[in-house]
Amino acid sequence: MQRTLSTRMLLNRYGALFRMPLAENLAEVGNIVSAVLVMTMFMWVFAMLWQAVFAAQGTDLIAGLTLKHTLWYLLMAELVVLSKPLLAEEISDSIKTGSIAYDLMRPLDFGLFHLSRYAGHVAFRACVNLLAGGAVVWLLVGPPPAWQGLFPAVLALMLAWGLEFCFEALIGLAAFWTEDISAFRWIHQKISFILGGLLLPLDFYPPWLAAVARVLPFASIIYAPGRLFVDPDAGRLLSTLALQLGWLVVLGFAFRLLSGRALRRLTINGG
Amino acid sequence: MPAPNKGKGVWRNKVVSIRVSRLTKSFRTRSKQEGLAGSWRALWKPEWRQVPAVRDISFLMERGEALGFIGPNGAGKSTTIKILCGILHPDSGTAEVLGHVPWQDRQQLCYEIGSVFGQRPQLWYHLPPVDSFHVYGAIYGLDRDATRRRVDFLVDVFELQHLLHTPVRKLSLGQRMRCEVAVSLLHAPKLLLLDEPSIGLDIVAKQRIRDTIRYMRDEEGVGVLLTSHDAGDIEALCNRVIVISDGQLIFDDTMDELKRRHLTAKQVNVRYLEEGERSLPMAGVETVAAGRYGMQIRFDPRTVGVDAVISGLNGLGSMVDITISDPDLEDIIGTIYAENALDPDAA
């Protein structure tokens, strides 16, 4: 049996793990229908809400954004949040039931194993959500304000999901030390909603709060891809990617550190 | 109880696949006094105690051998298996599996062992088994053609032709288990770890699983380390048995030896044509149950002759049916546990 695998074989291995959630999602039509329903409903409610807000203000522009900008931004923000699987719960369940030990019996890297499956799930859900939510927004306010924002937004989205993966995995691994991870999950979710700009763009915040929020990782996950999509320019692209990569290094390091400690703890004390 | 096989001359010329010597492992767990006050105290001043899981276990397993590993819940079976897979570090002692120290060399060892844990499915639930086969092929570094050839072979042996394209969630438990065992053999491991492979299966499905495992054992020389509560699994598949209780090894010998040493009683069920109250007052014969038309007795054939018992029973009326049987392996194992409980230093 081959012991040292070539890069091609490694790609083959994690590529196969990436494809499984795609196939799984395709096999479950119900999953697709429910994703479409949720996304359509969310974007419809947002559109009604923001149409009313803009009408009440009697203006076409709030904090430099039009209604069209705001809705396409919110679509991207929802896309980040609604396309990810519940990785933290998956990891914490495997710790609580002890099944994590059996995962270690495969010749797989713990981080890459979860990352490839996470990416497969996200890829599928993101396509479905983008089509469903995009159709609603397009119908209500017309096409995106700047098509050239699509490629930078896709780049930023991939890094955003990378960051979100780290947060989810860190929360899940906390189950090694605390029985219940729901407190961490709750805190992370609420901070993401507020400081990430899920409910409204950070541009609408008081300037001091927006300035603080923009440099935090939550904005790199939720705010950055959407803002880049509706208002792309080279300067914004560079600063967004630099900040995202910086946080990815920090959170990636934290994940490696914590997963290393957790697995050592598992092998010494059985979890 | 005799010492484990270490040092026995018979092992010198054999290829050893597992060598375990004086393995010990304990876990640190929190203990708490009863009630609310106890919980309060534990919050401020937690008390820890060491719970021994495996105590000074030594044994050898020959390459290609089928070894049964039995013991009650909490006996230390899973802990030992996890140490042998490299998932747990022992506190002391040494172990070598297929030439690797498991906890130092887990990733390499993964390629050489296959595993089936009854309570931990490895197939993707919503997808047909064929998809899982191909993913595991990629995980173990097999190329597409090699995977296909191996899948064809396993499909043939395990008779999976009509199951291969059905989503796993639609398969029966027995069909799913056959696929689980087949996928664990995809990378042609030298050693197969089976933990309760027949749990929850009906007798037909159990028999099928046992037959295919036995076939693979003979065909590819794959070693089998089997833990099971089902004595039938052990009897059908293993030629050697290790019994472990309370973290200690209490029996390590061949299946035949286990039977020879502990099969000391015969059981007789007899039925008569006429109704009546009957008893067989013979020394060394024990009446287990008696009814209006029949009775069940037990005797030790080393002290009472079988012919004497039969003619005694014959004298009690016109017999219409008689069966003589050995006790179940489960009863034998129960006896071993009981003996060990009476004499804790036996190991």
Side-chain angles (χ1 to χ4, degrees), chain A residues 3 13 103 106 267-268, chain B residues 25 89 108 112 120 122:
Chain A
R3 301 295 171 76
R13 167 189 290 180
D103 292 338
R106 311 259 166 241
T267 53
I268 288 162
Chain B
K25 176 77 190 170
H89 287 218
Q108 294 299 321
E112 296 177 38
R120 171 69 179 150
Q122 46 197 342

Side-chain angles (χ1 to χ4, degrees), chain A residues 1 3 5 9 13 16 20 23-24 28 99 101-108 266-270, chain B residues 25 27-28 85 87-89 106-108 110-112 115 120 122 124 135-136 138-141 169 187:
Chain A
M1 184 58 57
R3 301 295 171 76
L5 299 184
M9 279 175 162
R13 167 189 290 180
M20 286 306 256
E24 251 177 332
E28 291 297 296
S99 67
Y102 306 124
D103 292 338
L104 298 181
M105 286 184 55
R106 311 259 166 241
L108 293 167
L266 176 74
T267 53
I268 288 162
N269 206 31
Chain B
K25 176 77 190 170
F27 295 110
R28 201 166 79 116
C85 296
I87 298 169
L88 273 179
H89 287 218
R106 191 181 68 223
Q107 289 277 317
Q108 294 299 321
C110 288
Y111 289 100
E112 296 177 38
S115 55
R120 171 69 179 150
Q122 46 197 342
W124 268 258
V135 171
Y136 281 109
I139 287 175
Y140 284 102
R169 65 168 194 280
H187 56 293

